[in-house]
Amino acid sequence: RNALDGYVPDAARAALRSTAVVMPLAILVIVLERTDYLLVLVFVAMFTLSPGLEKGGEAAKKSLVSTALGGLVAYPFYWLLVALPELYFFLLLNLLVALLVARHVFYGGDYATYLGSALTTLILLVNASMGEGSDFSSAFVIRLSLIFLAAIYVVGAFRLLEHPGRIRHPLPSPSGRLFRRGPISDPE
């Protein structure tokens, strides 16, 4: 038997592309000892599970929308808990939100695909904000901005991998046109 019988070229290319996107960021996080950016690394790894510019961008969009939805629901949830800090109220509120999310997911709808992740975001944000001296708003903004950073990184890295020669300079040239590869001939 050949040792390469299980080799699938497309899967190998996809794994190589995912590794090429995640590895530089992983090395940077390890070398600079920035454990506060581990969430960015985790989201980059999740966005590259289906490598490709469109799929990575779609996963990033879904995660951003889910986090925003979860944060919007978590905000009144948190302030209701601040107003009535009882365990039974917390459990009842969790049950109510979970049942509402389950109903919308089961019957479908515009945001049904986002609601599972939004519920996870709600649980994470509320639980992270319950400690002494913690701030709900800053936790939400930090989480959203880290996911946005990961989305920008993934889309940029896949764009660079898929179209390395088509990256154009964003500033206009003196003649008013964008910089392009190769000679630019002036019309006479």
Side-chain angles (χ1 to χ4, degrees), residues 60-75:
K61 176 190 164 206
K62 180 181 178 189
S63 186
L64 281 168
V65 170
S66 297
T67 302
L69 277 174
L72 291 175
V73 173
Y75 190 76

Side-chain angles (χ1 to χ4, degrees), residues 1 7-8 10 12 14 33 47 61 64-65 75 81 105 124-125 131-132 138 149-150 156 161:
R1 287 190 62 128
Y7 179 75
V8 179
D10 291 338
E33 297 178 7
F47 297 159
K61 176 190 164 206
L64 281 168
V65 170
Y75 190 76
L81 282 177
V105 169
L124 288 172
L125 283 175
E132 186 177 333
S138 66
L149 246 154
L161 283 175

Side-chain angles (χ1 to χ4, degrees), residues 17-94:
R17 289 177 64 204
S18 292
T19 304
V21 171
V22 174
M23 191 61 74
L25 186 62
I27 291 171
L28 192 66
V29 166
I30 292 169
V31 168
L32 296 179
E33 297 178 7
R34 297 301 307 250
T35 57
D36 48 336
Y37 287 110
L38 236 86
L39 185 63
V40 174
L41 183 61
V42 167
F43 276 104
V44 166
M46 284 177 18
F47 297 159
T48 60
L49 288 176
S50 298
L53 184 58
E54 293 83 22
K55 291 180 182 178
E58 187 63 33
K61 176 190 164 206
K62 180 181 178 189
S63 186
L64 281 168
V65 170
S66 297
T67 302
L69 277 174
L72 291 175
V73 173
Y75 190 76
F77 188 100
Y78 173 77
W79 287 110
L80 283 170
L81 282 177
V82 168
L84 187 61
E86 294 291 329
L87 178 63
Y88 294 115
F89 183 67
F90 173 71
L91 294 174
L92 231 112
L93 206 53
N94 263 329

Side-chain angles (χ1 to χ4, degrees), residues 127-135:
N127 287 334
S129 303
M130 294 314 257
E132 186 177 333
S134 57
D135 182 24

